[in-house]
Amino acid sequence: MDIQEAVGEAKQLDEKYDLFITINESAEGNFPIAVKDNICTKGLRTTAGSKILHNYVPVFDATVVEKLKRSGAAVLGKTCMDEFGFGTFSVNCAYKVPKNPVDPSRSCGGSSGGSAGYVAASKYARFAIGQSTGGSITCPAAFCGVVGITPTYGLVSRYGLIDYANSLDKIGVLAKTVSDAAKGLSIISGHDSRDSTSSNVPAKDYAKLQEAKLRIGVPKEYFEGVDPKIAERVWRSIKSLESGGMKYEEVSLPHTKYAIPSYYIIALSEASTNLAKYCGMRYGLSSDPSGKSFNEYFSQVRSQGFGQEAKRRVVLGTYARMAGYRDQYYLKALKVRALIIEDFKRAFGEVDVLAAPSMPVIAPKFSEIEKLTPLQHYMSDVLTVAPNLAGIPHLSVPCGKVEGMPVGVQLLADHFKEEKAFAAGFGVENG
Amino acid sequence: MVEREVVERVARIARLSLTAEEVKRFTKDLSSVLEAFDSIGEAKTDGVEPAFQPFDIKDVVREDAPAGCLSQQEALINAEQKEGGFIKGPKAV
């Protein structure tokens, strides 16, 4: 493949859909890859969608980028995302808002919106790199009609990831097919001594895995409040798995109703501490510090560099950790998280894979997103936050269309059982 | 209901200088978000240990041996305010 042709295509797609923050004109390699802009690429600007990192050029590659380059990948560019991953629709970006290639009046989903849009529209790319904290791979995969794998927490090294929430962040893959997603994950997974949370579980070649007969669980709570036309498409895939020889049964995950508050309190608490490092000195936005006090200088740079949603999340997260509120919010949220994990563990004692809608709605129009309050934004993540809180692998696979827009089914498996999610994914794809 | 003074205090702690408009907006947002999130108070968590991670992760330590690191030039490459090989910051005392 001529990589320059792929670069040319990326530029054309970017003009049409605003998918990239930075395009790498001098990309070299055997196959094209796009990387979410919160993953460090040596010599290639990395902003995490934030103005505070507008001029940051890493002097090192993230481990996933190193692994991709070693396997022959050419990094064509860095894709649009919500600032630091703070969003569900990729509209909270300091640079531009990616448009859904299926219908440009609609969102790509977030926060890995540019990566999903690129995979959906490109003739050349088989997969791109995304990252999820609370649904940022599943949501754009479902909205753009591509496959998205969010692996088990710790399976993929996060060395070189600009973090959002350390106990939740996972790097994963958006791909054309289940098989492409499996190939991509095989390249980027594996232990890394530079990431202290990196797992020692031996890496597998997911691409070699095949369809298997599995027991499927259908969590009833994941169909409440879902667009009935979407629910119908998802049920059709579950029935197709059944006709392929898999058995399904209804299961209950009773603490699902607490997933949104638990997730947001934990994620924003962690985010507000992570964002403390942006102080306008070592890298990123700065100004002349002469004659200013420490607090005055830091506050000024941060207020100029952070967007509205980043400031909102810092305020919420700082509040939740403050003396007097910590037990009521932060600690409570962590205990509820333990209950949500227990729900999944109990279910995986009975079934191999859980199947549910990826998102409760199809990709919304930008004109609809403008009307949402911050709370309504957060509530949109209702189906994706629990698997992320539990750190379990989940795969979103396209399962038809509603009103011309793609719909996804998400397949959840127990920790380090990615192969089961992929096996069910093959079943949906071939069903 | 969160008071505007609370948001101002939180912003000070978080080193954000917010405009009056932002303080007003975030006061409203914080109130409505917390009101909705108060539902977790209903969850029965007596005797439940907080899950700081998705599963138990053991502390890891590396061998205490010298290893390569960034050169001074590399470390300074992204700093705009620098002088004589150092990063320039605001006055500390």
Side-chain angles (χ1 to χ4, degrees):
Chain A
M1 184 193 298
D2 181 355
I3 286 300
Q4 277 313 309
E5 276 182 35
V7 172
E9 186 208 40
K11 282 157 83 176
Q12 281 172 5
L13 293 176
D14 189 44
E15 274 173 31
K16 231 167 141 179
Y17 306 120
D18 287 333
L19 301 172
F20 290 92
I21 293 173
T22 307
I23 288 185
N24 181 16
E25 305 248 2
S26 54
E28 281 176 28
N30 306 325
F31 65 92
I33 188 110
V35 176
K36 189 176 181 177
D37 202 36
N38 58 352
I39 296 171
C40 288
T41 41
K42 190 176 180 175
L44 189 60
R45 186 169 77 124
T46 300
T47 72
S50 181
K51 194 174 146 193
I52 210 158
L53 288 173
H54 73 107
N55 55 356
Y56 176 56
V57 180
V59 291
F60 66 98
D61 274 327
T63 297
V64 292
V65 173
E66 232 176 58
K67 284 177 178 247
L68 285 162
K69 285 183 176 171
R70 220 179 296 140
S71 77
V75 178
L76 293 194
K78 307 300 292 291
T79 56
C80 283
M81 57 179 288
D82 290 289
E83 181 176 13
F84 294 112
F86 298 158
T88 307
F89 305 110
S90 292
V91 294
N92 300 325
C93 180
Y95 302 93
K96 45 193 184 180
V97 174
K99 301 179 185 76
N100 195 316
V102 184
D103 173 355
S105 72
R106 293 175 187 271
S107 164
C108 279
S111 64
S112 311
S115 287
Y118 172 62
V119 170
S122 172
K123 278 192 309 204
Y124 298 101
R126 298 308 301 177
F127 66 92
I129 300 303
Q131 171 274 338
S132 172
T133 307
S136 290
I137 292 174
T138 294
C139 165
F143 283 179
C144 293
V146 299
V147 174
I149 176 72
T150 308
T152 305
Y153 180 78
L155 184 74
V156 175
S157 166
R158 300 183 297 175
Y159 177 75
L161 171 70
I162 297 173
D163 36 24
Y164 166 173
N166 305 57
S167 83
L168 294 156
D169 295 341
K170 288 122 349 223
I171 294 175
V173 177
L174 292 132
K176 291 266 193 212
T177 65
V178 173
S179 163
D180 291 323
K183 279 181 204 149
L185 183 62
S186 301
I187 294 171
I188 63 170
S189 55
H191 180 256
D192 179 12
S193 60
R194 294 179 294 185
D195 170 2
S196 64
T197 56
S198 168
S199 156
N200 279 309
V201 173
K204 294 173 199 165
D205 186 353
Y206 302 102
K208 281 194 180 147
L209 304 166
Q210 293 299 319
E211 213 171 312
K213 298 283 177 258
L214 303 164
R215 292 164 302 166
I216 308 290
V218 184
K220 58 179 184 191
E221 292 84 359
Y222 280 61
F223 288 79
E224 289 164 12
V226 170
D227 177 340
K229 294 192 282 289
I230 290 178
E232 190 269 326
R233 292 291 180 285
V234 171
W235 269 111
R236 218 186 273 175
S237 348
I238 296 166
K239 302 277 185 190
S240 82
L241 291 176
E242 188 189 31
S243 48
M246 299 191 199
K247 291 209 164 18
Y248 79 83
E249 60 187 273
E250 197 172 87
V251 298
S252 175
L253 302 167
H255 295 93
T256 301
K257 60 184 169 193
Y258 303 123
I260 285 275
S262 170
Y263 167 78
Y264 270 95
I265 291 166
I266 295 167
L268 304 196
S269 297
E270 294 186 22
S272 65
T273 62
N274 273 325
L275 262 53
K277 62 176 156 287
Y278 301 103
C279 62
M281 287 176 61
R282 289 164 297 165
Y283 44 74
L285 194 70
S286 67
S287 67
D288 185 2
S290 313
K292 289 179 190 131
S293 76
F294 251 68
N295 287 346
E296 197 188 336
Y297 178 72
F298 295 157
S299 304
Q300 186 200 333
V301 167
R302 291 161 63 78
S303 304
Q304 283 171 2
F306 291 150
Q308 280 299 295
E309 187 56 27
K311 289 181 191 173
R312 185 179 288 111
R313 292 192 184 205
V314 168
V315 167
L316 276 161
T318 306
Y319 179 89
R321 286 182 297 115
M322 246 167 40
Y325 306 107
R326 192 175 181 270
D327 287 4
Q328 184 188 348
Y329 292 110
Y330 181 59
L331 269 182
K332 183 77 181 184
L334 291 167
K335 289 178 183 175
V336 169
R337 178 190 204 171
L339 297 175
I340 289 168
I341 296 169
E342 263 178 48
D343 276 357
F344 281 120
K345 287 290 175 187
R346 208 174 303 120
F348 291 128
E350 306 289 321
V351 298
D352 298 298
V353 167
L354 295 165
S358 296
M359 291 298 287
V361 293
I362 55 169
K365 292 191 168 173
F366 292 113
S367 54
E368 295 164 340
I369 295 168
E370 278 171 17
K371 293 180 199 135
L372 299 177
T373 65
L375 181 62
Q376 286 170 323
H377 271 256
Y378 302 167
M379 299 304 266
S380 313
D381 300 338
V382 63
L383 302 179
T384 59
V385 287
N388 279 281
L389 276 171
I392 55 171
H394 47 291
L395 178 74
S396 180
V397 182
C399 67
K401 289 191 169 181
V402 166
E403 293 165 33
M405 293 308 293
V407 171
V409 54
Q410 58 172 334
L411 304 154
L412 327 179
D414 203 356
H415 293 131
F416 302 104
K417 301 290 183 202
E418 274 75 3
E419 64 274 16
K420 291 188 178 181
F422 282 127
F426 286 126
V428 169
E429 214 170 44
N430 301 328
Chain B
M1 194 59 201
V2 177
E3 301 296 326
R4 149 191 202 102
E5 290 71 28
V6 174
V7 171
E8 284 168 344
R9 195 172 130 225
V10 171
R12 242 187 341 269
I13 296 171
R15 307 285 180 259
L16 289 175
S17 29
L18 301 179
T19 63
E21 177 54 38
E22 284 173 330
V23 171
K24 199 174 148 198
R25 192 180 313 148
F26 294 158
T27 302
K28 188 172 147 236
D29 296 342
L30 192 60
S31 298
S32 65
V33 168
L34 290 178
E35 195 190 325
F37 288 6
D38 275 337
S39 66
I40 57 163
E42 300 161 11
K44 291 187 178 58
T45 53
D46 295 344
V48 176
E49 287 298 314
F52 288 95
Q53 306 276 354
F55 41 81
D56 281 339
I57 291 176
K58 289 196 174 62
D59 285 340
V60 289
V61 286
R62 66 170 170 80
E63 202 151 325
D64 187 15
C69 66
L70 296 181
S71 66
Q72 188 184 27
Q73 195 198 357
E74 283 173 318
L76 287 172
I77 212 160
N78 277 291
E80 282 183 346
Q81 307 290 331
K82 49 195 165 189
E83 209 174 285
F86 293 95
I87 292 170
K88 207 169 131 187
K91 212 171 159 198
V93 277

